[in-house]
Amino acid sequence: MRKRGTSGCRTEEDMISFLPDHLLCQILSHVPTKTAVVTSVLSTRWRTIWLWTPVLDLHTHDFPNFYAFASFISRFLYFSKGSSCLHKLKLDLRFGRPIQYISSELRNLEFVSRRYLDPSYLITQWINNAVKVQHLDILFLHPRIVDMMPLSIYTCVTLVSLKLCNVSLAASEYVSLPRLKIMHLVDNVYANDAFLEKLISSCPVLEDLTVVRHGETDYNLDVLRVHSKSLKSLVVDLDGNSFKYSDEDTGKAVVIDAPRLTYLSLEDYQSTSFVINKLGLSAKVNVNVSFDMDFDTDVIDSSKTSVVGTFFTMLSTVRDMTLSGTTLQVISLYLKHEPLPQFPYLVRFHAVFYNSDLGKLPNILQSCPNLKSLVLELEGFKVNELLVLSSSSVPECLRSSLECVEIRTPIRGAVPEIELVNYFLENSAVLKKLKMCLSRGRMNEESNILMELLRLRRCSPSCEVVVDLEELKETCHNMMRYYNFL
């Protein structure tokens, strides 16, 4: 359907404006609030549509100052007071100026009593006013800007998703979040370890939990306890990127009791003890832990040996496992004292190896009798360094189950890299595919490496050696240019 404009030219009918208000609100909920507000200038009908959108998603950077930011939110919440339209409140509060300047701006707010000039009070009121919100996402750049989050968040019966970053959480005697399914807690300050445990266990249908603590804060998490009968995904990141060895036991620990867990990501360079109960048979795990171990020595005491052995025994039922280079350093030290527990259900293994630990690969594969897929990343290789893959026999998985090997680190032609490729081709009886890519370098070096790899003998007659297509295309293109075919 078309209509004529005032100039007589035919213009397209504004079909979207014929949609009912609730559909227009749903459309606007998928764009930033800043963009939704701009639609108010389209026509008289659009002037107030954005006020009924179920999402309020704002960033302080979208406003010239905190006064404008606070004024906008307070007026929006006042307009929607008593309504049930607001389902998501997301506030990204990254204050670029000291708190005293923010407080001085608030003195200009006409709609707030002058005794309420504290940003902490305003933010608390905003959260309290969003009483029927389903998704609450709060991020602070400075955690001290709000003394404590309002206690009302602990008893919000509509809350489905709670994401808090850099906030302070006070203890509460009563916590009940009956509908909460997603909870992400990043760099927060908690009353104590016991309250964090209580907060997690008071969510009877929780499925997705993330607990992150990076750097130094006013609160140090000593023991993280996660007890949940409904939890399916758990991400724990406790200073996972800043390993500092201490010769004293930190006393820090992680205790997980979640029988329905299907995904676990554990990055922790602080804890010396881990307890994981009832991990499911189909679970996928990503592990980057150090047990606060000293890697400059070949000796580990019996207590630490027991802790490491127990930890990997608790993971023995997983089907998909990723281990970091640091964790494999722990395993390499452990293997000098004890054999690794068996992983009879493991079918996919992704590992990051330092050159000094790669020699233990056959010993590790001995513990994975039914492995089908192996992904390797290699670090710290020296071109002329020898690789000794120590093993008295060929691992069972190479003889009967391993079908796919992928080396994701570009091959540079280092001796250990060629020996590694040869080890799999020479010993894998049922291997179907060995995938790798070449490091970009000079054309003649690339072609020599490629030819050397393709000449290696294969134990499996059906094995296909696959070199990354883009890398191979570029290598062939360079070869043709070199020989003046292009």
Side-chain angles (χ1 to χ4, degrees):
M1 179 178 180
R2 296 176 181 270
K3 65 179 181 180
R4 291 187 179 275
T6 56
S7 62
C9 298
R10 302 185 73 183
T11 60
E12 291 291 338
E13 182 75 33
D14 179 16
M15 300 300 296
I16 193 170
S17 292
F18 284 98
L19 295 174
D21 287 357
H22 72 277
L23 287 181
L24 294 178
C25 289
Q26 284 296 326
I27 293 172
L28 292 182
S29 70
H30 294 287
V31 300
T33 300
K34 182 179 179 180
T35 303
V37 173
V38 174
T39 63
S40 64
V41 302
L42 294 177
S43 68
T44 303
R45 182 174 178 225
W46 282 88
R47 186 171 299 167
T48 60
I49 289 291
W50 70 272
L51 287 168
W52 298 98
T53 56
V55 176
L56 182 59
D57 182 352
L58 291 175
H59 195 303
T60 48
H61 290 174
D62 294 333
F63 296 84
N65 51 50
F66 187 76
Y67 161 68
F69 179 77
S71 176
F72 181 91
I73 296 178
S74 295
R75 291 185 186 277
F76 179 91
L77 293 177
Y78 178 80
F79 175 84
S80 59
K81 188 176 182 180
S83 73
S84 59
C85 68
L86 188 62
H87 293 165
K88 180 177 181 179
L89 176 62
K90 181 178 180 181
L91 301 179
D92 192 333
L93 301 138
R94 304 182 193 221
F95 301 100
R97 291 187 292 168
I99 189 64
Q100 58 267 28
Y101 292 105
I102 297 173
S103 296
S104 65
E105 290 173 358
L106 294 176
R107 291 187 171 87
N108 297 316
L109 290 175
E110 298 175 356
F111 53 89
V112 177
S113 173
R114 290 191 178 275
R115 68 189 182 92
Y116 297 138
L117 299 178
D118 181 9
S120 176
Y121 171 83
L122 280 177
I123 295 168
T124 298
Q125 287 300 103
W126 296 337
I127 296 172
N128 283 334
N129 288 339
V131 291
K132 297 182 180 180
V133 73
Q134 295 178 7
H135 303 267
L136 181 61
D137 191 339
I138 307 293
L139 181 149
F140 291 107
L141 182 62
H142 303 298
R144 289 190 181 89
I145 195 152
V146 173
D147 295 332
M148 290 290 173
M149 290 291 288
L151 298 182
S152 60
I153 66 170
Y154 300 144
T155 55
C156 183
V157 296
T158 59
L159 206 56
V160 174
S161 173
L162 177 63
K163 299 179 181 181
L164 302 175
C165 179
N166 259 351
V167 306
S168 297
L169 295 168
S172 175
E173 184 177 346
Y174 183 67
V175 180
S176 177
L177 296 166
R179 297 183 182 179
L180 193 69
K181 291 187 176 183
I182 300 171
M183 183 159 61
H184 293 180
L185 305 171
V186 180
D187 289 339
N188 299 316
V189 177
Y190 309 96
N192 48 52
D193 292 357
F195 179 71
L196 177 57
E197 178 184 358
K198 181 179 181 179
L199 176 61
I200 295 170
S201 61
S202 298
C203 308
V205 296
L206 186 65
E207 296 181 355
D208 180 346
L209 173 65
T210 296
V211 180
V212 177
R213 199 205 77 87
H214 288 157
E216 297 296 328
T217 65
D218 295 334
Y219 170 75
N220 289 317
L221 184 62
D222 291 324
V223 180
L224 172 63
R225 291 184 175 88
V226 177
H227 298 284
S228 175
K229 294 181 180 179
S230 58
L231 196 63
K232 296 179 180 179
S233 173
L234 174 61
V235 176
V236 177
D237 186 353
L238 306 178
D239 275 349
N241 297 317
S242 56
F243 172 63
K244 294 180 181 179
Y245 166 70
S246 172
D247 57 2
E248 297 181 1
D249 192 337
T250 64
K252 296 182 181 296
V254 174
V255 179
I256 301 171
D257 184 5
R260 296 186 63 188
L261 203 63
T262 57
Y263 177 74
L264 170 64
S265 177
L266 183 58
E267 295 191 46
D268 187 349
Y269 283 2
Q270 292 186 336
S271 300
T272 56
S273 174
F274 301 89
V275 177
I276 305 174
N277 295 323
K278 302 177 183 178
L279 200 58
L281 289 177
S282 60
K284 177 180 180 179
V285 298
N286 186 339
V287 181
N288 180 15
V289 297
S290 69
F291 294 91
D292 195 34
M293 196 170 287
D294 183 6
F295 297 123
D296 293 330
T297 177
D298 290 339
V299 180
I300 54 177
D301 59 67
S302 57
S303 62
K304 232 163 209 187
T305 301
S306 176
V307 169
V308 173
T310 301
F311 174 75
F312 284 105
T313 299
M314 291 183 289
L315 298 180
S316 61
T317 60
V318 302
R319 292 177 60 84
D320 189 330
M321 180 163 61
T322 298
L323 298 182
S324 70
T326 299
T327 305
L328 284 162
Q329 281 184 293
V330 172
I331 290 177
S332 294
L333 281 177
Y334 178 83
L335 286 171
K336 295 180 179 179
H337 302 269
E338 299 286 344
L340 197 64
Q342 290 288 301
F343 298 91
Y345 303 99
L346 190 66
V347 295
R348 185 180 186 277
F349 182 33
H350 183 170
V352 180
F353 273 98
Y354 298 117
N355 191 33
S356 57
D357 304 310
L358 191 56
K360 299 293 184 181
L361 176 60
N363 303 85
I364 296 173
L365 294 178
Q366 289 282 12
S367 298
C368 312
N370 298 305
L371 190 67
K372 291 186 176 182
S373 174
L374 176 63
V375 178
L376 296 176
E377 294 183 46
L378 313 175
E379 294 188 9
F381 275 76
K382 297 179 180 178
V383 175
N384 296 317
E385 190 170 357
L386 294 177
L387 172 64
V388 179
L389 294 169
S390 58
S391 178
S392 57
S393 61
V394 176
E396 174 64 26
C397 64
L398 266 67
R399 290 178 291 164
S400 62
S401 63
L402 188 64
E403 297 179 351
C404 180
V405 174
E406 179 181 356
I407 303 176
R408 290 189 176 175
T409 307
I411 301 295
R412 298 176 296 125
V415 174
E417 296 170 338
I418 302 299
E419 291 180 355
L420 180 64
V421 173
N422 183 62
Y423 173 77
F424 286 112
L425 291 177
E426 194 174 55
N427 295 289
S428 302
V430 296
L431 191 65
K432 295 180 179 180
K433 179 184 293 186
L434 192 150
K435 183 178 180 180
M436 56 192 148
C437 62
L438 299 182
S439 176
R440 294 181 180 179
R442 289 180 297 181
M443 179 276 306
N444 56 335
E445 291 179 351
E446 291 177 346
S447 59
N448 290 338
I449 295 170
L450 179 61
M451 294 305 297
E452 183 176 359
L453 292 172
L454 295 177
R455 281 197 297 263
L456 296 175
R457 190 179 69 86
R458 308 174 194 183
C459 177
S460 171
S462 60
C463 178
E464 179 185 11
V465 177
V466 178
V467 179
D468 184 83
L469 184 60
E470 293 304 317
E471 298 284 352
L472 182 59
K473 279 183 177 179
E474 186 167 340
T475 299
C476 294
H477 183 77
N478 290 337
M479 289 176 64
M480 294 177 72
R481 289 184 59 186
Y482 182 77
Y483 290 109
N484 295 321
F485 290 143
L486 291 179

PDB file of all heavy atoms in Angstrom, residues 191-212:
ATOM      1  N   ALA A 191      30.059 -10.082  52.674  1.00  0.00           N
ATOM      2  CA  ALA A 191      30.141  -9.973  54.130  1.00  0.00           C
ATOM      3  C   ALA A 191      31.133 -10.996  54.684  1.00  0.00           C
ATOM      4  O   ALA A 191      31.956 -10.678  55.546  1.00  0.00           O
ATOM      5  CB  ALA A 191      28.760 -10.181  54.746  1.00  0.00           C
ATOM      6  N   ASN A 192      31.083 -12.219  54.165  1.00  0.00           N
ATOM      7  CA  ASN A 192      32.009 -13.283  54.543  1.00  0.00           C
ATOM      8  C   ASN A 192      31.792 -14.471  53.607  1.00  0.00           C
ATOM      9  O   ASN A 192      30.855 -14.479  52.794  1.00  0.00           O
ATOM     10  CB  ASN A 192      31.824 -13.699  56.010  1.00  0.00           C
ATOM     11  CG  ASN A 192      30.368 -13.940  56.357  1.00  0.00           C
ATOM     12  OD1 ASN A 192      29.673 -14.696  55.682  1.00  0.00           O
ATOM     13  ND2 ASN A 192      29.888 -13.267  57.411  1.00  0.00           N
ATOM     14  N   ASP A 193      32.643 -15.488  53.733  1.00  0.00           N
ATOM     15  CA  ASP A 193      32.524 -16.669  52.883  1.00  0.00           C
ATOM     16  C   ASP A 193      31.190 -17.379  53.095  1.00  0.00           C
ATOM     17  O   ASP A 193      30.582 -17.893  52.146  1.00  0.00           O
ATOM     18  CB  ASP A 193      33.665 -17.645  53.181  1.00  0.00           C
ATOM     19  CG  ASP A 193      35.016 -17.107  52.749  1.00  0.00           C
ATOM     20  OD1 ASP A 193      35.063 -16.005  52.167  1.00  0.00           O
ATOM     21  OD2 ASP A 193      36.037 -17.774  53.008  1.00  0.00           O
ATOM     22  N   ALA A 194      30.744 -17.414  54.347  1.00  0.00           N
ATOM     23  CA  ALA A 194      29.507 -18.125  54.669  1.00  0.00           C
ATOM     24  C   ALA A 194      28.302 -17.501  53.990  1.00  0.00           C
ATOM     25  O   ALA A 194      27.392 -18.209  53.537  1.00  0.00           O
ATOM     26  CB  ALA A 194      29.308 -18.155  56.186  1.00  0.00           C
ATOM     27  N   PHE A 195      28.290 -16.157  53.881  1.00  0.00           N
ATOM     28  CA  PHE A 195      27.147 -15.519  53.239  1.00  0.00           C
ATOM     29  C   PHE A 195      27.136 -15.786  51.738  1.00  0.00           C
ATOM     30  O   PHE A 195      26.068 -15.985  51.144  1.00  0.00           O
ATOM     31  CB  PHE A 195      27.121 -14.013  53.491  1.00  0.00           C
ATOM     32  CG  PHE A 195      25.969 -13.344  52.806  1.00  0.00           C
ATOM     33  CD1 PHE A 195      24.676 -13.540  53.258  1.00  0.00           C
ATOM     34  CD2 PHE A 195      26.168 -12.563  51.678  1.00  0.00           C
ATOM     35  CE1 PHE A 195      23.596 -12.960  52.600  1.00  0.00           C
ATOM     36  CE2 PHE A 195      25.099 -11.984  51.021  1.00  0.00           C
ATOM     37  CZ  PHE A 195      23.804 -12.177  51.485  1.00  0.00           C
ATOM     38  N   LEU A 196      28.308 -15.807  51.106  1.00  0.00           N
ATOM     39  CA  LEU A 196      28.357 -16.129  49.682  1.00  0.00           C
ATOM     40  C   LEU A 196      27.825 -17.540  49.450  1.00  0.00           C
ATOM     41  O   LEU A 196      27.064 -17.788  48.500  1.00  0.00           O
ATOM     42  CB  LEU A 196      29.789 -16.002  49.160  1.00  0.00           C
ATOM     43  CG  LEU A 196      30.007 -16.383  47.689  1.00  0.00           C
ATOM     44  CD1 LEU A 196      29.113 -15.560  46.763  1.00  0.00           C
ATOM     45  CD2 LEU A 196      31.469 -16.205  47.304  1.00  0.00           C
ATOM     46  N   GLU A 197      28.182 -18.464  50.322  1.00  0.00           N
ATOM     47  CA  GLU A 197      27.664 -19.826  50.230  1.00  0.00           C
ATOM     48  C   GLU A 197      26.143 -19.830  50.378  1.00  0.00           C
ATOM     49  O   GLU A 197      25.431 -20.531  49.648  1.00  0.00           O
ATOM     50  CB  GLU A 197      28.297 -20.690  51.318  1.00  0.00           C
ATOM     51  CG  GLU A 197      27.783 -22.122  51.350  1.00  0.00           C
ATOM     52  CD  GLU A 197      28.367 -22.924  52.506  1.00  0.00           C
ATOM     53  OE1 GLU A 197      29.191 -22.377  53.259  1.00  0.00           O
ATOM     54  OE2 GLU A 197      27.977 -24.104  52.646  1.00  0.00           O
ATOM     55  N   LYS A 198      25.643 -19.044  51.329  1.00  0.00           N
ATOM     56  CA  LYS A 198      24.203 -18.958  51.558  1.00  0.00           C
ATOM     57  C   LYS A 198      23.485 -18.361  50.359  1.00  0.00           C
ATOM     58  O   LYS A 198      22.406 -18.834  49.959  1.00  0.00           O
ATOM     59  CB  LYS A 198      23.933 -18.117  52.805  1.00  0.00           C
ATOM     60  CG  LYS A 198      22.471 -17.961  53.163  1.00  0.00           C
ATOM     61  CD  LYS A 198      22.324 -17.124  54.419  1.00  0.00           C
ATOM     62  CE  LYS A 198      20.868 -16.971  54.826  1.00  0.00           C
ATOM     63  NZ  LYS A 198      20.723 -16.167  56.072  1.00  0.00           N
ATOM     64  N   LEU A 199      24.069 -17.334  49.754  1.00  0.00           N
ATOM     65  CA  LEU A 199      23.461 -16.690  48.591  1.00  0.00           C
ATOM     66  C   LEU A 199      23.308 -17.685  47.452  1.00  0.00           C
ATOM     67  O   LEU A 199      22.269 -17.749  46.791  1.00  0.00           O
ATOM     68  CB  LEU A 199      24.322 -15.501  48.152  1.00  0.00           C
ATOM     69  CG  LEU A 199      23.893 -14.751  46.895  1.00  0.00           C
ATOM     70  CD1 LEU A 199      22.499 -14.143  47.071  1.00  0.00           C
ATOM     71  CD2 LEU A 199      24.906 -13.662  46.543  1.00  0.00           C
ATOM     72  N   ILE A 200      24.335 -18.492  47.217  1.00  0.00           N
ATOM     73  CA  ILE A 200      24.298 -19.466  46.119  1.00  0.00           C
ATOM     74  C   ILE A 200      23.282 -20.571  46.407  1.00  0.00           C
ATOM     75  O   ILE A 200      22.484 -20.951  45.536  1.00  0.00           O
ATOM     76  CB  ILE A 200      25.697 -20.065  45.897  1.00  0.00           C
ATOM     77  CG1 ILE A 200      26.665 -18.973  45.424  1.00  0.00           C
ATOM     78  CG2 ILE A 200      25.639 -21.210  44.883  1.00  0.00           C
ATOM     79  CD1 ILE A 200      28.115 -19.401  45.402  1.00  0.00           C
ATOM     80  N   SER A 201      23.285 -21.083  47.617  1.00  0.00           N
ATOM     81  CA  SER A 201      22.408 -22.204  47.957  1.00  0.00           C
ATOM     82  C   SER A 201      20.943 -21.797  48.123  1.00  0.00           C
ATOM     83  O   SER A 201      20.062 -22.658  48.201  1.00  0.00           O
ATOM     84  CB  SER A 201      22.894 -22.875  49.244  1.00  0.00           C
ATOM     85  OG  SER A 201      22.879 -21.965  50.324  1.00  0.00           O
ATOM     86  N   SER A 202      20.669 -20.479  48.160  1.00  0.00           N
ATOM     87  CA  SER A 202      19.286 -20.001  48.312  1.00  0.00           C
ATOM     88  C   SER A 202      18.596 -19.776  46.975  1.00  0.00           C
ATOM     89  O   SER A 202      17.566 -19.106  46.910  1.00  0.00           O
ATOM     90  CB  SER A 202      19.269 -18.704  49.127  1.00  0.00           C
ATOM     91  OG  SER A 202      19.780 -18.906  50.424  1.00  0.00           O
ATOM     92  N   CYS A 203      19.169 -20.312  45.921  1.00  0.00           N
ATOM     93  CA  CYS A 203      18.589 -20.202  44.575  1.00  0.00           C
ATOM     94  C   CYS A 203      18.239 -21.614  44.099  1.00  0.00           C
ATOM     95  O   CYS A 203      19.072 -22.286  43.467  1.00  0.00           O
ATOM     96  CB  CYS A 203      19.572 -19.538  43.617  1.00  0.00           C
ATOM     97  SG  CYS A 203      20.241 -17.959  44.201  1.00  0.00           S
ATOM     98  N   PRO A 204      17.043 -22.102  44.358  1.00  0.00           N
ATOM     99  CA  PRO A 204      16.697 -23.508  44.108  1.00  0.00           C
ATOM    100  C   PRO A 204      16.663 -23.924  42.644  1.00  0.00           C
ATOM    101  O   PRO A 204      16.735 -25.125  42.352  1.00  0.00           O
ATOM    102  CB  PRO A 204      15.310 -23.639  44.742  1.00  0.00           C
ATOM    103  CG  PRO A 204      14.748 -22.257  44.747  1.00  0.00           C
ATOM    104  CD  PRO A 204      15.924 -21.356  44.979  1.00  0.00           C
ATOM    105  N   VAL A 205      16.586 -22.968  41.709  1.00  0.00           N
ATOM    106  CA  VAL A 205      16.554 -23.344  40.289  1.00  0.00           C
ATOM    107  C   VAL A 205      17.759 -22.767  39.531  1.00  0.00           C
ATOM    108  O   VAL A 205      17.753 -22.699  38.304  1.00  0.00           O
ATOM    109  CB  VAL A 205      15.239 -22.878  39.618  1.00  0.00           C
ATOM    110  CG1 VAL A 205      14.051 -23.589  40.243  1.00  0.00           C
ATOM    111  CG2 VAL A 205      15.071 -21.366  39.694  1.00  0.00           C
ATOM    112  N   LEU A 206      18.797 -22.383  40.248  1.00  0.00           N
ATOM    113  CA  LEU A 206      19.988 -21.788  39.616  1.00  0.00           C
ATOM    114  C   LEU A 206      20.630 -22.773  38.648  1.00  0.00           C
ATOM    115  O   LEU A 206      20.878 -23.935  38.990  1.00  0.00           O
ATOM    116  CB  LEU A 206      20.995 -21.393  40.705  1.00  0.00           C
ATOM    117  CG  LEU A 206      22.237 -20.620  40.233  1.00  0.00           C
ATOM    118  CD1 LEU A 206      21.843 -19.263  39.675  1.00  0.00           C
ATOM    119  CD2 LEU A 206      23.224 -20.452  41.393  1.00  0.00           C
ATOM    120  N   GLU A 207      20.940 -22.297  37.433  1.00  0.00           N
ATOM    121  CA  GLU A 207      21.540 -23.152  36.405  1.00  0.00           C
ATOM    122  C   GLU A 207      22.905 -22.663  35.947  1.00  0.00           C
ATOM    123  O   GLU A 207      23.732 -23.463  35.508  1.00  0.00           O
ATOM    124  CB  GLU A 207      20.603 -23.253  35.195  1.00  0.00           C
ATOM    125  CG  GLU A 207      19.274 -23.926  35.499  1.00  0.00           C
ATOM    126  CD  GLU A 207      18.384 -24.026  34.275  1.00  0.00           C
ATOM    127  OE1 GLU A 207      18.778 -23.485  33.211  1.00  0.00           O
ATOM    128  OE2 GLU A 207      17.310 -24.639  34.378  1.00  0.00           O
ATOM    129  N   ASP A 208      23.140 -21.363  36.006  1.00  0.00           N
ATOM    130  CA  ASP A 208      24.371 -20.777  35.467  1.00  0.00           C
ATOM    131  C   ASP A 208      24.980 -19.861  36.522  1.00  0.00           C
ATOM    132  O   ASP A 208      24.395 -18.840  36.884  1.00  0.00           O
ATOM    133  CB  ASP A 208      24.025 -19.999  34.195  1.00  0.00           C
ATOM    134  CG  ASP A 208      25.227 -19.327  33.536  1.00  0.00           C
ATOM    135  OD1 ASP A 208      26.290 -19.231  34.175  1.00  0.00           O
ATOM    136  OD2 ASP A 208      25.100 -18.868  32.388  1.00  0.00           O
ATOM    137  N   LEU A 209      26.170 -20.230  37.023  1.00  0.00           N
ATOM    138  CA  LEU A 209      26.835 -19.446  38.068  1.00  0.00           C
ATOM    139  C   LEU A 209      28.262 -19.119  37.651  1.00  0.00           C
ATOM    140  O   LEU A 209      29.010 -19.990  37.200  1.00  0.00           O
ATOM    141  CB  LEU A 209      26.858 -20.216  39.389  1.00  0.00           C
ATOM    142  CG  LEU A 209      27.669 -19.582  40.538  1.00  0.00           C
ATOM    143  CD1 LEU A 209      27.060 -18.252  40.974  1.00  0.00           C
ATOM    144  CD2 LEU A 209      27.764 -20.545  41.724  1.00  0.00           C
ATOM    145  N   THR A 210      28.644 -17.838  37.805  1.00  0.00           N
ATOM    146  CA  THR A 210      30.012 -17.386  37.570  1.00  0.00           C
ATOM    147  C   THR A 210      30.485 -16.624  38.798  1.00  0.00           C
ATOM    148  O   THR A 210      29.798 -15.716  39.264  1.00  0.00           O
ATOM    149  CB  THR A 210      30.091 -16.468  36.332  1.00  0.00           C
ATOM    150  OG1 THR A 210      29.742 -17.208  35.164  1.00  0.00           O
ATOM    151  CG2 THR A 210      31.509 -15.920  36.157  1.00  0.00           C
ATOM    152  N   VAL A 211      31.655 -17.008  39.315  1.00  0.00           N
ATOM    153  CA  VAL A 211      32.265 -16.312  40.444  1.00  0.00           C
ATOM    154  C   VAL A 211      33.680 -15.929  40.040  1.00  0.00           C
ATOM    155  O   VAL A 211      34.510 -16.801  39.745  1.00  0.00           O
ATOM    156  CB  VAL A 211      32.304 -17.182  41.719  1.00  0.00           C
ATOM    157  CG1 VAL A 211      32.949 -16.411  42.869  1.00  0.00           C
ATOM    158  CG2 VAL A 211      30.896 -17.629  42.104  1.00  0.00           C
ATOM    159  N   VAL A 212      33.952 -14.619  39.999  1.00  0.00           N
ATOM    160  CA  VAL A 212      35.255 -14.112  39.550  1.00  0.00           C
ATOM    161  C   VAL A 212      35.821 -13.189  40.622  1.00  0.00           C
ATOM    162  O   VAL A 212      35.102 -12.375  41.208  1.00  0.00           O
ATOM    163  CB  VAL A 212      35.121 -13.342  38.213  1.00  0.00           C
ATOM    164  CG1 VAL A 212      36.469 -12.753  37.791  1.00  0.00           C
ATOM    165  CG2 VAL A 212      34.573 -14.257  37.133  1.00  0.00           C
TER     166      VAL A 212
END
